[in-house]
Amino acid sequence: MSLKMSKRSVWDAVEEAGLESFPASDPPAWSAEAESRSPPPITTPFGFSSTADDVVSGVNLTGRRAIVTGASSGIGVETARALAQAGAEVTLAVRNPEAGRKVAEAFAESLQARLRVARLDLSSQGSVREFVSQWHGPLHILVNNAGIMALPQLERSAEGWELQFATNFMGHFALTIGLHRALAAAGGARIVSLSSSGSLFSPVNFDDLHFDFIPYAPFVAYGQSKTACTLLAVEASRRWRDEGIFANAVNPGAIATNLQKHTGGLRTPRERQKNLAQGAATSVLLAASPLLEGVGGRYFEDCQQASVVSARSAYYRGVAPYALDASNANRLWECALRLAQLST
């Protein structure tokens, strides 16, 4: 790889991919033998064009409680709406509660009684702790949806962490750990971890998570954070499956949202773009569909389990082996516990 890639060549790659950048290091070798031992992939009757309403049709979530982070804009709004439409009580966990309340008020009147708005700033560990302290009772569905992408300059959290890693991964990690007992109390819970095809551009660089040595590159940082989100799902399922908690990662696809505010907008070819209802479909599928009962530690796109790929293709499909690697997942979990000074 080359850290001397010009800004123009980076944007050329973004335009072709519809997303992000270039890898921080070469991925570990893919093992055909390991792949052959993997369980068969999950398939569903849904696909690229399916909507959130399609995948939740006929599903009754009455009595279920859900949290959707980042539910004041983009696919988070549609995810929350679809879960509430199916009967769930949904908390919109948002950085700006006023924006969250406006979203809730815009929903059908029949849904508003099932909605709650709570403040959550995922870049702040203190805000995460405060949110967790105010949660009482079981939690059936946790959708770790919020995120930021491609900050032009290196920014850091109060802890000194690179801000995309701090927000996209560490905030959600601390939230998930903090809500562990609530998830276990549900007697069957699901975690949905929003990843991205950007994870194909960077593994987690354990030796320099926060760009103290590596020159900062916006999409490398984003890719690392999204690989970390996938690994969170892998390890949460391994550690907590005996408690009935299963987590999966999702690439929602290319949707025009505020996420691209630092990139000049969505550049994906139109035929590969999704609207908000289509973009939320895979998240809602993983959160609510009986087809995914007891399924965890996997990566989905277009409502199907994605293939493990040995190299990045021009269409940026599939998931890299390093994003599902069990040793990487365990190492990241232990590292994050130390960083956040948490215990499980």
Side-chain angles (χ1 to χ4, degrees):
M1 71 111 184
S2 172
L3 289 176
K4 296 181 180 180
M5 178 179 280
S6 70
K7 183 176 182 180
R8 178 57 192 158
S9 64
V10 169
W11 287 115
D12 287 344
V14 171
E15 187 164 2
E16 293 169 4
L19 272 168
E20 292 84 35
S21 152
F22 48 92
S25 63
D26 294 332
W30 173 77
S31 168
E33 180 183 358
E35 176 68 4
S36 68
R37 295 196 302 267
S38 300
I42 299 296
T43 59
T44 79
F46 306 106
F48 177 92
S49 299
S50 298
T51 67
D53 283 341
D54 291 337
V55 302
V56 84
S57 176
V59 175
N60 186 353
L61 297 179
T62 301
R64 303 290 183 93
R65 304 174 75 206
I67 293 171
V68 181
T69 69
S72 60
S73 65
I75 63 173
V77 173
E78 181 64 10
T79 300
R81 185 204 62 77
L83 294 176
Q85 185 72 49
E89 298 176 16
V90 183
T91 294
L92 314 183
V94 297
R95 187 172 54 184
N96 182 343
E98 181 58 31
R101 283 188 285 271
K102 289 180 179 179
V103 166
E105 290 167 2
F107 286 172
E109 188 173 345
S110 61
L111 301 184
Q112 292 179 10
R114 301 176 193 156
L115 302 174
R116 171 176 172 262
V117 177
R119 184 179 184 277
L120 175 62
D121 180 353
L122 287 158
S123 69
S124 165
Q125 292 284 299
S127 178
V128 174
R129 288 191 292 270
E130 182 178 359
F131 179 92
V132 168
S133 72
Q134 295 174 358
W135 183 268
H136 303 287
L139 174 62
H140 302 85
I141 299 167
L142 174 60
V143 184
N144 290 333
N145 169 81
I148 57 176
M149 184 176 83
L151 302 183
Q153 305 296 325
L154 174 60
E155 297 184 41
R156 298 188 184 278
S157 68
E159 296 81 9
W161 306 333
E162 188 278 316
L163 196 57
Q164 294 181 80
F165 188 82
T167 303
N168 298 347
F169 172 67
M170 286 299 300
H172 281 126
F173 177 80
L175 178 68
T176 303
I177 292 291
L179 293 170
H180 175 207
R181 290 184 180 179
L183 291 162
R190 299 188 188 187
I191 302 166
V192 181
S193 187
L194 270 287
S195 185
S196 166
S197 61
S199 63
L200 292 169
F201 292 102
S202 181
V204 173
N205 191 328
F206 289 101
D207 292 325
D208 191 17
L209 292 171
H210 308 297
F211 294 85
D212 296 315
F213 297 94
I214 297 172
Y216 176 75
F219 297 119
V220 172
Y222 180 67
Q224 171 179 247
S225 74
K226 288 302 180 177
T227 293
C229 290
T230 302
L231 292 170
L232 169 58
V234 172
E235 189 64 7
S237 289
R238 187 188 72 81
R239 291 182 180 235
W240 296 345
R241 65 174 57 246
D242 289 344
E243 299 174 84
I245 302 169
F246 293 89
N248 291 288
V250 55
N251 167 24
I255 311 104
T257 68
N258 291 337
L259 189 65
Q260 297 100 20
K261 66 181 180 180
H262 296 302
T263 69
L266 187 63
R267 303 181 179 207
T268 305
R270 186 167 298 277
E271 66 273 13
R272 289 166 52 205
Q273 294 183 24
K274 297 184 179 184
N275 59 35
L276 291 176
Q278 294 166 335
T282 309
S283 293
V284 175
L285 177 81
L286 296 177
S289 175
L291 297 173
L292 277 300
E293 191 71 34
V295 173
R298 307 194 190 199
Y299 179 101
F300 287 77
E301 57 190 7
D302 297 339
C303 297
Q304 307 289 336
Q305 184 178 345
S307 298
V308 177
V309 296
S310 57
R312 190 175 66 249
S313 75
Y315 291 99
Y316 297 83
R317 304 281 300 166
V319 58
Y322 55 71
L324 296 175
D325 182 83
S327 60
N328 285 346
N330 180 67
R331 183 180 181 186
L332 179 63
W333 188 284
E334 293 298 331
C335 178
L337 287 175
R338 291 192 298 272
L339 283 173
Q341 299 180 353
L342 296 170
S343 60
T344 57

